[in-house]
Amino acid sequence: KILNTTQCSQKPGTSVRCSSLIDPELVEKLKAAKTPEEVIDLFEKAETKKDEEDKKAAEAKKAKEAAKAQGGSDDDNKPLIVGVTACINGIAHTYMAQEALIKEGKKRGIEVRIETNGSEGVKDKLTPDEIKRAKGVIIASDKKVDMPRFDRKHLVNRPVVDGINKSGLWAGIYKNLMNGISHMLPFVIGGGILMAVSFIVENYMGGPKTPAFVFLNNAGNLAFAFMVPVLAAYIAESIGDLPALMPGFVGGYMAAIVNGQFQVNVQAHTTSPAGFLGGIAAGFIAGYLMVGLKKLFAKLPHSVEGMKPMLFYPILGLLLIAAIMFYIINPIFSGINFAITHFLNGMGTGNLVLLTTILAGMMSIDMGGPFNKAAYVFASGAFANDPHSATAAILMAAVMVGGMVPPFATAIGTTFFKNKYTLEERRAGVSNWVLGFSFITEGAIPFAAADPGRVIPSCIIGSAVGGALVGLWHVGVPAPHGGLWVSPLAGNIGGPSHILFYFLATIIGSVVAGLVMSFWKKNVKDDPNE
């Protein structure tokens, strides 16, 4: 239960939701709690109270709809704002943003209804009547949202990540890319970890002919085979809506295979796939192709409107993306992909240390934002191109160490330098031991938000140190996620076990960040709430 509370799990049967953590009344009671049992009891009561409030709200909504149907009065004259919240992982930020918007609405005397697009799918779905009555719409999302239903409404559209609020064109590109990555991640994580476990079986339980190894490795490889096609498909769908999904998927599949496997007797033959980068290009090209086709057919007679999604878009979309990928993108990106792979595999220690230092440091710049995702995507892309590459495993280890440092650093600081942190921060720091162990960088966000000038630079320094040690010691982890839980895999590809060095790189980087941060911060006042 404590683990579920810490990770803000949304699974059925769990007794707490992340949104409870921003209830001031609950926070005050938690501060006064003396035992773990009291903490759990408080969360359970808060959840029960929230469920009762949701039930009453649902009943009130039904009663209002019934009254309206009978010609009675309702609260239609009261201002209503509707919105959608969604983050990449669909856990913490999605629900905390929903709760924060609703609370702010209450303060201003405005009714607020927020739909969430989280790890369990769409919750609190907005009705057509609510959208029709709404005075405005707030979208706080890093993923694709069903937007046509909000046509002709005043709209505020912001990603969950604050770092791209004022970035113009980049914001749209980032959101489209993140839509692809959010759908791709389950394939990367599930497939990558099963493959990693298969390597343990291979090394310690009988070799490559063991049935367990064959099964796990094949299952992991099957998931990986869908990674680039799914990435491209949902980038395209984010840009060109549902008609772009199929061309994006086919373009991504073509990027994942060698052109020679495409049985056409032409000279555009390549010897390596376009890979991850080619898949990204395929997604954007397919998406904008569909946008162009929609504009091209916009003035066709209304009588052929039904033929567009069923005939024109799929046939022309497939034809165009296949031609572009085969004759242009694959030949270009296969060369780029080969060059990058060759460069990474041929890196000397000096260049490798520089790269792992940069990647690990990027993980702490915005703790889940564009820089963090860029580093992770680069490492996971290299790993996807060649899961058996020792260098790719080292890059994965670097980004994981870099991502674990911020929560560990705040946990260290709040544990050993209590006079530098408020009571609320010290309580939050306890959960960051678990979040750090699990490679959940976002645990440090509250600290960074409260004191960005000290916390972020300190974490960047610590993450960079940890990343440098990973490159120096050639620590490889052939898994795309898992933090220290996957430490038994460290170094199992291309060399001896490096479990100890994996732990040391994480510990040293975290201690450096924790010390810099804590010595830099000023003592807090006696009243922890001031």
Side-chain angles (χ1 to χ4, degrees), residues 227-268:
M227 190 188 83
V228 174
V230 167
L231 169 70
Y234 283 96
I235 290 174
E237 187 262 352
S238 180
I239 298 167
D241 294 322
L242 191 59
L245 186 70
M246 183 274 289
F249 200 100
V250 173
Y253 179 70
M254 291 184 69
I257 64 174
V258 177
N259 255 10
Q261 295 175 259
F262 193 76
Q263 300 298 319
V264 178
N265 186 22
V266 294
Q267 294 181 350

Side-chain angles (χ1 to χ4, degrees), residues 239-457:
I239 298 167
D241 294 322
L242 191 59
L245 186 70
M246 183 274 289
F249 200 100
V250 173
Y253 179 70
M254 291 184 69
I257 64 174
V258 177
N259 255 10
Q261 295 175 259
F262 193 76
Q263 300 298 319
V264 178
N265 186 22
V266 294
Q267 294 181 350
H269 179 81
T270 60
T271 56
S272 65
F276 195 79
L277 294 177
I280 293 175
F284 280 99
I285 291 170
Y288 287 113
L289 272 176
M290 197 54 60
V291 170
L293 288 175
K294 287 181 178 180
K295 291 182 178 179
L296 180 65
F297 296 137
K299 296 183 179 181
L300 286 178
H302 186 72
S303 58
V304 297
E305 191 70 26
M307 296 177 64
K308 293 180 185 179
M310 300 303 297
L311 191 64
F312 295 163
Y313 294 154
I315 293 177
L316 291 177
L318 177 59
L319 179 64
L320 291 172
I321 193 65
I324 292 172
M325 290 300 297
F326 190 77
Y327 290 103
I328 301 173
I329 299 301
N330 273 13
I332 293 174
F333 278 88
S334 64
I336 294 173
N337 190 42
F338 177 80
I340 291 174
T341 303
H342 181 74
F343 170 74
L344 291 176
N345 290 336
M347 266 188 165
T349 299
N351 288 333
L352 185 60
V353 169
L354 178 62
L355 183 56
T356 55
T357 300
I358 293 171
L359 290 176
M362 288 174 67
M363 295 295 290
S364 286
I365 292 176
D366 47 12
M367 302 179 189
F371 285 99
N372 175 286
K373 289 293 187 292
Y376 181 79
V377 166
F378 180 86
S380 59
F383 184 65
N385 283 339
D386 187 1
H388 295 274
S389 166
T391 303
I394 292 170
L395 299 184
M396 287 307 315
V399 298
M400 275 206 277
V401 168
M404 289 188 285
V405 164
F408 273 140
T410 54
I412 291 169
T414 54
T415 300
F416 298 102
F417 299 90
K418 295 182 178 181
N419 61 320
K420 299 295 184 79
Y421 301 88
T422 66
L423 180 59
E424 184 178 351
E425 288 175 328
R426 294 200 298 273
R427 291 187 182 278
V430 174
S431 65
N432 277 357
W433 288 109
V434 179
L435 298 182
F437 206 94
S438 305
F439 183 44
I440 301 176
T441 314
E442 288 83 352
I445 287 178
F447 295 86
D451 189 6
R454 295 182 178 89
V455 173
I456 293 177

Side-chain angles (χ1 to χ4, degrees), residues 128-200:
D129 183 65
E130 288 169 332
I131 296 172
K132 181 180 178 181
R133 186 164 66 89
K135 303 298 183 183
V137 180
I138 297 174
I139 306 296
S141 173
D142 277 344
K143 299 196 294 186
K144 175 73 181 296
V145 172
D146 179 16
M147 296 298 290
R149 54 186 168 153
F150 302 126
D151 284 351
R152 299 182 182 180
K153 289 290 181 182
H154 294 292
L155 177 69
V156 175
N157 193 346
R158 294 286 185 270
V160 171
V161 180
D162 291 336
I164 61 171
N165 277 349
K166 299 180 181 180
S167 55
L169 177 62
W170 165 244
I173 294 174
Y174 175 79
K175 182 171 290 189
N176 295 331
L177 179 61
M178 288 301 107
N179 191 63
I181 289 174
S182 67
H183 286 86
M184 177 198 75
L185 279 178
F187 294 87
V188 177
I189 295 170
I193 290 181
L194 282 188
M195 289 174 66
V197 172
S198 76
F199 298 143
I200 293 180

